Amino acid sequence: MNTTKLLTALTAALLATTVSANAAEHFNRIASFPVALNSPEAEATSSEIITATEDGMTLIYSDSPAGGIGFVDITDAKAPAPKGFLSLDGEPTSVTVIGDKAYVGVNTSENFTNPSGKLSVVDIATQKVEDEYDLGGQPDSVAHNAAGTLVAIAIENERDEELGDGGIPQLPAGFVVIFDVAAKSLKTVELTGLASVGAEDPEPEFVDFNENDEIAVTLQENNYIAIIDGKSGTVTGGFDAGTVSLADVDTKKDGALRFTGKQADVPREPDAIKWLDANRLVIANEGDWKGGTRGFTIFNRDGTVLFDSGNALDYNAAQLGHYPDHRNKKGVEPEGLEVASFGGQQYIFVAEERSSLIAVYKDTGAEPEFVQSLPSGISPEGLVAIPARNLLATANEVDLRADGGVGSHVMLYELAEGPANYPQLISDLDADGRPIGWAAISGAVADAEKPGILYAVSDSVLSAEPAIYTIDATSQPARITAKTIITRGGDAAQKLDLEGITLDGKGGFWLASEGDSAKLTPHALYNVDADGKIIAEVALPDELTANAVRFGAEGVTRIGEGDDTTLWVAIQREWKDDPKGQVKLLSYKPATKEWGAVAYPLETPAEGAWVGLSEITAHGDYIYIVERDNQIGDKAKLKALYRVPVADLVAAKLGTELPVVSKELVRDFIPDLKASNGYIVDKVESFAIDAAGNGFVITDNDGTSDSSGETLFWTIGAL
């Protein structure tokens, strides 16, 4: 096999750098469309493969869970609107458009051993099926040639992943079907005997035409790429996709981001494929049963490797807080591709399924030039460019509504002059050229003297490596410049779920850890020095924790100096001894070890939601508190900043009736969250006020587990 061994740290460092603010044009998200609007009665919906009508005014996406295709009106691209849904009596796998017709591959298989499918031809104007053609197997990708005379369908006949070791061969074999649009005839192209892996059981995954009507097809599980003459249906070329050996990658699912691992001779096992021109191909190396090399590769049609991205996509995702540690065998898992020219410049767009990013590169004819990464919905799979309107659309397949999360979305981006709006927070590379890995920012405090310098913590998403991150908010985007690991006995401290941080006035910090009895994580405060060493541990008293629930400390702040220091801790939700609609603000005096509390009145939640606290920050005569609901997307109603007079903080003894503080609304964060043109994220978790009096807000992305990984960071200016 064609094996490329990569020394990629330097390449990754170059490719993963943030985009210059002075660059002329960038893609920015302008709208987000929840696909459930097209089929509100469906239990689950998804946007998977997406295409556009030839006038660029309508998007059409395949929706396998709902069993049809959805239409989105993008006449006003900044305000996409539902345009209808068509059921197709099966599971649509892909869709392409020629003129006024949509050609849809539909899986109708009853089981793995008797696969079946059809090509449905849909009149776009009436949204009705005009014709259907038996494909003789289970379809996957569908594509058409530039002239609109041929349609290619990859007939995967996918394997049963739970049979034996889940590998191949598992007959029947897959093949490619070529549909002649004018003649309305089908031609089958057999692909057996080509690959060195599972030659008797090819599993075609993705197809694409070049300008000469040649079809490139990936055989993912076979780690092979075939080239077919579309007119004759003859296989004219092909090559093994080869292997990659990677260094400096994170290979362990361990709650820590350590880019020191190696993977040797890993098969690429490509998913999507696109022609860059008549001679060059680009593939997304998602991997399947044996492989997945975390990047994308550009080949000459003879199989010569012209470029491989190595660990660059992983590094960029890690710098943006999007690295999927919870599922990192294959890193960011590049799956989808789009290639299109805007203003004479050809771009390559790579959809990263597990990081939920779209990597954007300029095709230079040699090594591609990294431009930016775009935030997408959860698990982007399909992409379509509309160059005539300077638009890009992504289809993001995951629907988490049944679990209280966000549904599948289509997202729209526009190429225009100006800086990139994302990322808003990015980390530097360390001294060894590896990314400072981070995720799930859960609390922040500002430096007492340096304007724009913040210190933040991450929660239990990175449980094996709790840390304090130094953030330079004077940079655009804000930058994480250092990472200090919290240690106990010389090793990374365990059993912490850090949700708050404040300065201790002595060069170190006080940290608040949210307890969880199910995980044996105590409700506690920790005093650490500047190097992250724990020098004091203060457990919440038994009389408090006897009434605890899972939702504990969500922030800590300090009022006073020396022996007059009081720490104030925000408890997220009502505990068992709290009146409904009130939560505790705990006080702790380190000098006397005395505990007390006041009660904070919560806003009334919407039906099916809860409301709690996320942060507490002292500044001047007030403490500032982030109060939010647990809702996401269109259901989100409360994400706000309130202030409480310090004069109200007269703590009562624990176990007695607590005085209720007054509060005043300072800022509604909902408009700020809408400004990113995505869906409203649920967790506004950090608020800090710097030495110049400016307030900074950070959202918690929960890593990328059931989350898009998107982190928003912004300032609300002077308070």
Side-chain angles (χ1 to χ4, degrees):
M1 282 190 177
N2 178 14
T3 302
T4 304
K5 298 209 172 189
L6 300 165
L7 300 174
T8 56
L10 179 59
T11 299
L14 294 172
L15 294 179
T17 52
T18 187
V19 182
S20 166
N22 297 320
E25 291 186 323
H26 291 94
F27 290 89
N28 282 308
R29 186 169 54 199
I30 59 171
S32 180
F33 175 80
V35 301
L37 292 179
N38 265 332
S39 47
E41 303 304 319
E43 286 188 13
T45 62
S46 179
S47 53
E48 296 160 304
I49 302 303
I50 191 165
T51 190
T53 53
E54 292 184 351
D55 63 2
M57 297 298 175
T58 301
L59 298 173
I60 306 174
Y61 59 86
S62 61
D63 184 343
S64 177
I69 55 174
F71 300 79
V72 185
D73 182 356
I74 57 167
T75 303
D76 181 354
K78 295 182 179 179
K83 199 173 181 178
F85 183 84
L86 174 64
S87 294
L88 290 172
D89 298 322
E91 297 181 8
T93 60
S94 186
V95 57
T96 193
V97 167
I98 301 173
D100 58 0
K101 303 293 189 292
Y103 294 79
V104 189
V106 183
N107 177 18
T108 59
S109 303
E110 294 184 0
N111 52 54
F112 292 103
T113 58
N114 187 29
S116 63
K118 60 187 178 181
L119 180 68
S120 296
V121 182
V122 176
D123 181 79
I124 296 170
T126 63
Q127 296 184 13
K128 293 182 178 179
V129 176
E130 287 194 346
D131 289 299
E132 290 187 332
Y133 301 88
D134 185 356
L135 293 172
Q138 171 252 314
D140 197 330
S141 168
V142 177
H144 72 271
N145 65 346
T149 58
L150 300 173
V151 176
I153 308 101
I155 306 300
E156 182 179 12
N157 290 343
E158 63 185 345
R159 73 191 195 283
D160 182 352
E161 296 182 10
E162 297 182 1
L163 180 64
D165 64 359
I168 56 175
Q170 289 186 33
L171 300 179
F175 48 90
V176 166
V177 168
I178 301 172
F179 177 72
D180 187 307
V181 174
K184 298 185 178 181
S185 61
L186 302 172
K187 183 181 296 181
T188 298
V189 182
E190 300 292 347
L191 299 171
T192 55
L194 300 177
S196 58
V197 177
E200 69 273 37
D201 182 23
E203 293 201 8
E205 188 81 17
F206 207 95
V207 289
D208 189 50
F209 280 93
N210 68 10
E211 62 198 57
N212 296 323
D213 288 349
E214 292 179 295
I215 303 165
V217 54
T218 54
L219 281 59
Q220 185 171 32
E221 289 82 353
N222 311 90
N223 199 37
Y224 191 84
I225 295 164
I227 298 175
I228 302 167
D229 178 72
K231 295 174 182 176
S232 68
T234 304
V235 176
T236 59
F239 51 89
D240 284 342
T243 62
V244 176
S245 291
L246 293 165
D248 298 321
V249 290
D250 187 8
T251 60
K252 296 180 180 179
K253 178 183 174 181
D254 59 0
L257 299 179
R258 302 182 180 117
F259 295 90
T260 56
K262 296 180 180 180
Q263 291 181 316
D265 299 326
V266 182
R268 290 188 171 93
E269 292 186 350
D271 189 324
I273 188 167
K274 289 285 184 178
W275 290 93
L276 293 172
D277 52 40
N279 294 305
R280 294 180 303 138
L281 297 152
V282 59
I283 59 172
N285 303 320
E286 179 198 26
D288 202 296
W289 64 304
K290 284 187 176 180
T293 60
R294 304 168 178 251
F296 67 99
T297 306
I298 298 175
F299 285 99
N300 187 282
R301 62 181 298 132
D302 65 4
T304 303
V305 174
L306 303 177
F307 171 80
D308 192 288
S309 65
N311 58 16
L313 298 184
D314 274 11
Y315 274 30
N316 179 254
Q319 288 185 270
L320 273 57
H322 282 251
Y323 186 79
D325 177 72
H326 68 287
R327 183 185 166 115
N328 68 3
K329 177 184 176 183
K330 298 181 285 185
V332 299
E333 290 193 33
E335 180 175 15
L337 288 170
E338 175 66 309
V339 173
S341 292
F342 290 77
Q345 173 62 59
Q346 183 158 279
Y347 288 86
I348 303 168
F349 304 91
V350 186
E352 303 169 17
E353 182 180 12
R354 298 300 169 187
S355 70
S356 294
L357 289 169
I358 308 297
V360 183
Y361 287 79
K362 288 182 179 178
D363 177 20
T364 66
E367 181 172 315
E369 175 189 342
F370 176 75
V371 178
Q372 64 184 122
S373 284
L374 301 172
S376 201
I378 304 175
S379 295
E381 181 170 356
L383 311 90
V384 62
I386 310 174
R389 300 186 64 193
N390 279 341
L391 297 177
L392 173 75
T394 66
N396 305 278
E397 64 179 328
V398 171
D399 184 352
L400 298 173
R401 290 175 298 150
D403 299 320
V406 73
S408 171
H409 278 69
V410 167
M411 294 194 172
L412 284 146
Y413 310 81
E414 182 178 45
L415 178 65
E417 291 186 359
N421 295 335
Y422 196 84
Q424 297 173 8
L425 179 63
I426 186 171
S427 71
D428 290 342
L429 300 177
D430 65 19
D432 296 317
R434 302 184 182 109
I436 298 174
W438 64 277
I441 298 297
S442 54
V445 68
D447 189 275
E449 299 177 354
K450 302 174 185 176
I453 301 301
L454 312 179
Y455 306 98
V457 291
S458 56
D459 64 24
S460 58
V461 165
L462 298 179
S463 59
E465 202 171 60
I468 298 171
Y469 304 92
T470 302
I471 299 175
D472 180 0
T474 67
S475 175
Q476 292 296 323
R479 304 192 73 90
I480 293 175
T481 60
K483 179 178 181 178
T484 303
I485 305 300
I486 307 303
T487 60
R488 182 190 287 118
D491 297 319
Q494 303 299 299
K495 299 299 179 183
L496 299 181
D497 184 4
L498 300 180
E499 296 286 353
I501 179 172
T502 193
L503 306 178
D504 70 356
K506 303 174 184 178
F509 304 91
W510 280 98
L511 310 177
S513 181
E514 183 176 28
D516 186 345
S517 59
K519 298 179 181 178
L520 302 180
T521 301
H523 296 278
L525 299 174
Y526 297 88
N527 192 196
V528 302
D529 64 17
D531 296 323
K533 178 183 176 182
I534 294 176
I535 54 179
E537 303 187 30
V538 181
L540 270 61
D542 291 343
E543 58 189 306
L544 268 175
T545 57
N547 292 295
V549 297
R550 183 172 67 85
F551 302 92
E554 280 288 318
V556 61
T557 193
R558 184 183 110 252
I559 296 176
E561 301 288 343
D563 289 346
D564 292 328
T565 293
T566 300
L567 300 177
W568 285 92
V569 181
I571 300 299
Q572 185 173 53
R573 293 181 63 187
E574 301 102 324
W575 283 9
K576 296 174 185 177
D577 58 339
D578 290 318
K580 185 176 178 59
Q582 293 182 12
V583 292
K584 294 183 183 74
L585 302 180
L586 300 176
S587 68
Y588 176 71
K589 297 180 180 294
T592 63
K593 298 180 172 48
E594 179 184 359
W595 288 91
V598 297
Y600 176 94
L602 294 169
E603 296 297 296
T604 302
E607 185 177 355
W610 57 255
V611 166
L613 308 186
S614 290
E615 179 68 289
I616 182 169
T617 303
H619 180 70
D621 294 331
Y622 297 91
I623 59 168
Y624 292 81
I625 290 177
V626 175
E627 187 174 349
R628 67 171 181 87
D629 60 23
N630 66 328
Q631 300 299 294
I632 193 169
D634 294 340
K635 291 185 177 180
K637 304 301 179 187
L638 177 65
K639 318 288 180 187
L641 182 68
Y642 292 86
R643 69 180 187 181
V644 172
V646 170
D648 282 11
L649 300 179
V650 181
K653 290 184 178 181
L654 299 177
T656 66
E657 184 176 352
L658 303 181
V660 181
V661 300
S662 62
K663 70 178 187 180
E664 177 186 2
L665 177 66
V666 176
R667 189 179 184 95
D668 179 3
F669 289 139
I670 295 286
D672 298 323
L673 295 168
K674 287 182 176 179
S676 69
N677 296 318
Y679 52 78
I680 298 171
V681 297
D682 55 340
K683 293 189 175 181
V684 181
E685 293 261 328
S686 301
F687 180 73
I689 303 171
D690 76 352
N694 294 309
F696 294 88
V697 190
I698 316 173
T699 62
D700 179 350
N701 71 359
D702 272 342
T704 56
S705 178
D706 293 340
S707 166
S708 69
E710 191 166 340
T711 296
L712 303 180
F713 182 107
W714 73 97
T715 179
I716 63 171
L719 290 165

